[in-house]
Amino acid sequence: WSFVNARQPPSARFGHSAVAFEQHLYLFGGYDQHGWFIDDVSCYSIQENLWTSISKKPNSIPGLERMHHTAV
């Protein structure tokens, strides 16, 4: 293991899920240090060492916050 100082990281969180697929890591949900639920999705590119926020489609149904969930 080694420390990675990635560019543009998502906010700190607990109880989130993460899935690794090919050269990317996807992060969803959880809650912050104040107990507020987070419903965003972020993608980390291992090759570029860069986090990107994945935005929702315009006029889409709002997602529900999740914490302590699983993803496959």
Side-chain angles (χ1 to χ4, degrees):
W1 292 93
S2 61
F3 180 77
V4 175
N5 191 11
R7 295 177 287 152
Q8 302 174 345
S11 61
R13 61 191 68 210
F14 304 91
H16 57 278
S17 64
V19 174
F21 180 71
E22 295 181 351
Q23 295 295 312
H24 295 88
L25 176 68
Y26 296 89
L27 180 75
F28 171 68
Y31 56 101
D32 66 15
Q33 68 272 19
H34 304 291
W36 291 94
F37 293 107
I38 302 171
D39 70 345
D40 63 357
V41 179
S42 296
C43 176
Y44 174 67
S45 169
I46 296 168
Q47 291 179 324
E48 297 177 33
N49 191 32
L50 175 68
W51 282 98
T52 304
S53 178
I54 297 177
S55 33
K56 299 172 187 168
K57 291 182 179 180
N59 302 319
S60 64
I61 298 171
L64 298 175
E65 300 93 353
R66 299 277 189 272
M67 67 177 203
H68 300 295
H69 56 283
T70 58
V72 179

